[in-house]
Coordinates of all heavy atoms in Angstrom, one line a residue:
T68 N 9.4 6.5 -12.6 CA 10.7 6.6 -13.2 C 10.6 6.2 -14.6 O 9.6 5.6 -15.0 CB 11.7 5.6 -12.4 OG1 11.2 4.3 -12.6 CG2 11.7 5.9 -10.9
P69 N 11.6 6.5 -15.4 CA 11.5 6.1 -16.9 C 11.3 4.6 -17.0 O 10.5 4.2 -17.9 CB 12.9 6.5 -17.4 CG 13.3 7.7 -16.6 CD 12.8 7.4 -15.2
K70 N 11.9 3.8 -16.2 CA 11.8 2.3 -16.3 C 10.3 1.9 -15.9 O 9.7 1.1 -16.6 CB 12.8 1.6 -15.4 CG 12.7 0.1 -15.4 CD 13.8 -0.5 -14.6 CE 13.8 -2.0 -14.7 NZ 14.9 -2.6 -13.8
L71 N 9.8 2.5 -14.8 CA 8.4 2.2 -14.4 C 7.4 2.8 -15.4 O 6.4 2.1 -15.7 CB 8.2 2.8 -13.0 CG 6.8 2.5 -12.4 CD1 6.6 1.0 -12.4 CD2 6.7 3.1 -11.0
Y72 N 7.7 3.9 -16.0 CA 6.8 4.5 -17.0 C 6.7 3.6 -18.2 O 5.6 3.4 -18.8 CB 7.2 5.9 -17.4 CG 6.4 6.5 -18.5 CD1 5.0 6.7 -18.3 CD2 6.9 7.0 -19.7 CE1 4.2 7.3 -19.2 CE2 6.1 7.6 -20.6 CZ 4.8 7.7 -20.4 OH 4.0 8.3 -21.4
Q73 N 7.8 3.0 -18.6 CA 7.8 2.1 -19.7 C 7.0 0.8 -19.4 O 6.3 0.3 -20.2 CB 9.3 1.7 -20.1 CG 9.4 0.9 -21.4 CD 8.8 1.7 -22.6 OE1 9.2 2.8 -22.9 NE2 7.9 1.0 -23.3
Y74 N 7.2 0.3 -18.2 CA 6.4 -0.8 -17.8 C 4.9 -0.5 -17.8 O 4.1 -1.3 -18.2 CB 6.9 -1.3 -16.4 CG 6.0 -2.4 -15.8 CD1 6.3 -3.7 -16.1 CD2 5.0 -2.1 -14.9 CE1 5.6 -4.8 -15.6 CE2 4.2 -3.2 -14.4 CZ 4.5 -4.5 -14.8 OH 3.7 -5.5 -14.3
F75 N 4.6 0.7 -17.3 CA 3.2 1.2 -17.2 C 2.6 1.2 -18.6 O 1.5 0.7 -18.9 CB 3.2 2.6 -16.7 CG 2.0 3.4 -16.9 CD1 0.8 3.1 -16.2 CD2 2.0 4.5 -17.8 CE1 -0.3 3.9 -16.4 CE2 0.9 5.3 -18.0 CZ -0.3 5.0 -17.3
K76 N 3.4 1.6 -19.6 CA 2.9 1.6 -21.0 C 2.8 0.2 -21.6 O 1.8 -0.1 -22.2 CB 3.8 2.5 -21.9 CG 3.7 4.0 -21.6 CD 4.3 4.8 -22.7 CE 5.8 4.6 -22.8 NZ 6.4 5.5 -23.8
D77 N 3.8 -0.6 -21.3 CA 3.9 -1.9 -21.9 C 2.8 -2.8 -21.4 O 2.3 -3.7 -22.1 CB 5.2 -2.6 -21.5 CG 6.4 -2.0 -22.3 OD1 6.2 -1.3 -23.3 OD2 7.6 -2.2 -21.8
T78 N 2.3 -2.6 -20.2 CA 1.3 -3.5 -19.6 C -0.1 -2.9 -19.5 O -1.0 -3.6 -19.1 CB 1.7 -3.9 -18.1 OG1 1.9 -2.7 -17.3 CG2 3.0 -4.6 -18.1
S79 N -0.3 -1.6 -19.9 CA -1.6 -1.0 -19.9 C -2.1 -0.3 -21.1 O -3.3 -0.2 -21.3 CB -1.7 0.0 -18.7 OG -1.0 1.1 -19.0
L80 N -1.2 0.1 -22.0 CA -1.5 0.9 -23.1 C -1.9 0.0 -24.3 O -1.1 -0.9 -24.7 CB -0.4 1.8 -23.5 CG -0.7 2.8 -24.6 CD1 -1.8 3.8 -24.2 CD2 0.6 3.6 -25.0

Side-chain angles (χ1 to χ4, degrees):
T68 63
K70 185 176 181 179
L71 184 55
Y72 179 57
Q73 188 61 52
Y74 176 84
F75 164 72
K76 292 193 295 182
D77 289 344
T78 58
S79 71
L80 186 61

